[in-house]
Amino acid sequence: SVSYGLQEEDMATSQGVVVPRNFRLLEELEKGEKGIGDGSVSYGLQEGDDMYLSNWNGTIIGPNSTPHEGRIYSLKIHCDGSYPNKAPTVRFISKINLGCVNQSNGQVDPSKFTTLGAWKSNYTMETILLELRKEMASPANKKLPQPPEGATF
């Protein structure tokens, strides 16, 4: 097998096929740039010249019939060298009151958000954003008072 100098941690397994990390992230970038589903979530590289494809911006449009309706939430996603075998770190820039978000820094807590806590290598940044959007609409989180719109961590 030819590895083109990639280290083991730079590889991801998808249906038994080893896919280099950057190929996987380039696929995600292409999908993110085309726009996803109904437009309720989006993501892209923070800096267009990030050769390591590590730092991403995410956006979630708050779900209807929740205190988040009409709000646009900004997030930072960091994919280190072991992504997608290891979950990225995810942090809200926009202030939000959710059970899985640290209220001092906006970090999404993997122990309280199973998508990160029970990470699978076939999950994507889109998976994370869609699952966070579902969290916003969950009965427990719908009841939480929200900070003023536009407030940031």
Side-chain angles (χ1 to χ4, degrees), residues 4-96:
Y4 299 103
L6 294 170
Q7 296 176 352
E8 200 62 41
E9 64 201 22
D10 292 337
M11 307 290 222
T13 304
S14 170
Q15 288 114 15
V17 176
V18 176
V19 178
R21 172 187 177 272
N22 281 9
F23 288 4
R24 164 65 184 273
L25 285 166
L26 285 168
E27 276 179 18
E28 289 196 51
L29 177 61
E30 190 176 328
K31 187 171 183 187
E33 286 177 340
K34 283 182 181 168
I36 308 160
D38 63 3
S40 61
V41 301
S42 61
Y43 61 90
L45 276 175
Q46 196 173 312
E47 303 285 334
D49 60 358
D50 178 358
M51 291 189 318
Y52 299 105
L53 307 173
S54 297
N55 297 305
W56 299 72
N57 292 323
T59 304
I60 301 173
I61 308 242
N64 293 340
S65 306
T66 72
H68 309 284
E69 184 171 358
R71 291 188 178 200
I72 298 171
Y73 292 95
S74 299
L75 303 88
K76 297 261 183 241
I77 303 168
H78 177 76
C79 301
D80 70 12
S82 51
Y83 180 86
N85 296 318
K86 189 181 137 226
T89 55
V90 182
R91 189 170 69 82
F92 275 86
I93 301 305
S94 309
K95 256 197 188 296
I96 188 168

Side-chain angles (χ1 to χ4, degrees), residues 83-144:
Y83 180 86
N85 296 318
K86 189 181 137 226
T89 55
V90 182
R91 189 170 69 82
F92 275 86
I93 301 305
S94 309
K95 256 197 188 296
I96 188 168
N97 189 6
L98 281 183
C100 61
V101 176
N102 180 315
Q103 290 304 299
S104 65
N105 62 12
Q107 195 82 27
V108 178
D109 182 346
S111 71
K112 296 177 182 167
F113 182 60
T114 53
T115 305
L116 294 179
W119 182 257
K120 293 178 174 58
S121 64
N122 62 331
Y123 287 175
T124 62
M125 286 178 266
E126 179 184 359
T127 310
I128 295 165
L129 296 171
L130 289 171
E131 290 302 314
L132 281 168
R133 191 167 189 270
K134 280 185 199 164
E135 280 290 307
M136 291 176 188
S138 77
N141 285 318
K142 274 172 82 165
K143 294 184 184 104
L144 296 173

